[in-house]
Amino acid sequence: MNTTKDNKFHIMDMDGTILDSMHVWINIDDTYLISKGVVPPDNIARIVEKKTMMECCVYFQELGVKMTPEEIYEDIMSKIFDEYRLHIQIKDNMKKRIKDIIGRGEKICLFTSSERRCAVAAFERLGIIDCFDSIYTCAELGMKKTTPDAFLHICKENGFLPEDTYVYEDALYAVKSAKAAGCHVIAVAEPSSANDWEEIKSLADEIIL
């Protein structure tokens, strides 16, 4: 274990934290379901918030989309991927934070609920791919951010104690899980999480506006 006081580890979320990408996801559930002739539930955003992409696709099939979950997945991702490859930008405050961490010689990994290919495409275009020692996705780990387990697993795999780990998140459920893991939580302000911001601030050890 790395127990040196000044030796810190950073686990960063991608969407809404590093990247200004939540606008791509906010209405995708509604617009996709409507395009397939399915009326989305009023609370669709809350329903899918904690689901993995494939779990969402299974749910969409249950709602009436006449495709397999795998077909739904590829159909949605074909629309989403080009946004990462061509358009989505890094948040100004996070670009400086990442550069400062690298300047101190500290280790950063990415932990995202999105696909690896989206992260790689965006980070390569933005020139930050080499800042990250590793990329973890919920799908590849077989773990979600709804419990502390994934954060504890990543800490252990990289040889760091939770108390020496800084987790950057914008979503309330992930903030709760990282705190429960014993990590130092840095909440990043994100308009799509505005309704949860007061609770997020009360839980976080630090905030980035």
Side-chain angles (χ1 to χ4, degrees):
M1 281 290 179
N2 287 282
T3 56
T4 304
K5 183 178 180 181
D6 295 328
N7 198 4
K8 303 298 182 185
F9 178 45
H10 303 261
I11 301 175
M12 293 189 173
D13 171 56
M14 180 170 72
D15 297 301
T17 299
I18 297 173
L19 299 184
D20 186 15
S21 54
M22 290 307 296
H23 63 280
V24 173
W25 294 98
I26 286 172
N27 296 316
I28 189 68
D29 308 309
D30 294 80
T31 55
Y32 185 76
L33 290 171
I34 291 169
S35 75
K36 299 301 180 182
V38 175
V39 178
D42 291 338
N43 60 339
I44 183 73
R46 280 296 188 187
I47 292 172
V48 303
E49 181 183 28
K50 299 179 184 180
K51 294 181 182 293
T52 65
M53 187 65 179
M54 185 54 73
E55 287 173 340
C56 289
C57 295
V58 171
Y59 177 59
F60 292 170
Q61 184 189 46
E62 292 170 352
L63 288 176
V65 178
K66 299 188 184 307
M67 300 163 66
T68 66
E70 291 76 17
E71 289 169 340
I72 296 170
Y73 185 95
E74 288 304 323
D75 196 24
I76 293 174
M77 286 310 303
S78 67
K79 298 172 174 61
I80 293 291
F81 178 69
D82 278 348
E83 292 295 320
Y84 286 90
R85 186 173 64 87
L86 299 171
H87 303 300
I88 290 171
Q89 295 299 313
I90 188 171
K91 290 186 170 183
D92 289 339
N93 50 10
M94 290 305 296
K95 185 172 186 177
K96 182 180 185 305
R97 179 64 65 109
I98 290 169
K99 297 298 183 183
D100 287 347
I101 292 169
I102 293 301
R104 296 195 300 268
E106 295 172 357
K107 186 174 184 177
I108 313 176
C109 80
L110 180 72
F111 181 30
T112 177
S113 298
S114 292
E115 274 200 0
R116 175 181 292 269
R117 60 175 163 168
C118 293
V120 170
F123 285 12
E124 284 183 343
R125 173 173 53 81
L126 294 166
I128 59 171
I129 188 72
D130 291 337
C131 296
F132 292 81
D133 292 275
S134 53
I135 295 174
Y136 294 91
T137 73
C138 290
E140 291 171 0
L141 275 183
M143 298 179 179
K144 296 193 290 185
K145 297 186 180 185
T146 51
T147 70
D149 297 349
F151 294 101
L152 291 170
H153 173 84
I154 294 172
C155 288
K156 183 176 181 180
E157 186 165 289
N158 286 273
F160 284 85
L161 297 169
E163 55 263 38
D164 293 325
T165 300
Y166 289 68
V167 174
Y168 300 71
E169 284 283 354
D170 67 299
L172 176 59
Y173 69 93
V175 167
K176 287 180 175 179
S177 296
K179 282 294 288 184
C183 299
H184 182 101
V185 176
I186 300 175
V188 180
E190 163 56 43
S192 64
S193 297
N195 290 340
D196 296 324
W197 184 238
E198 290 305 314
E199 187 173 358
I200 288 172
K201 285 196 299 181
S202 72
L203 292 170
D205 299 290
E206 181 184 340
I207 61 171
I208 297 177
L209 298 174

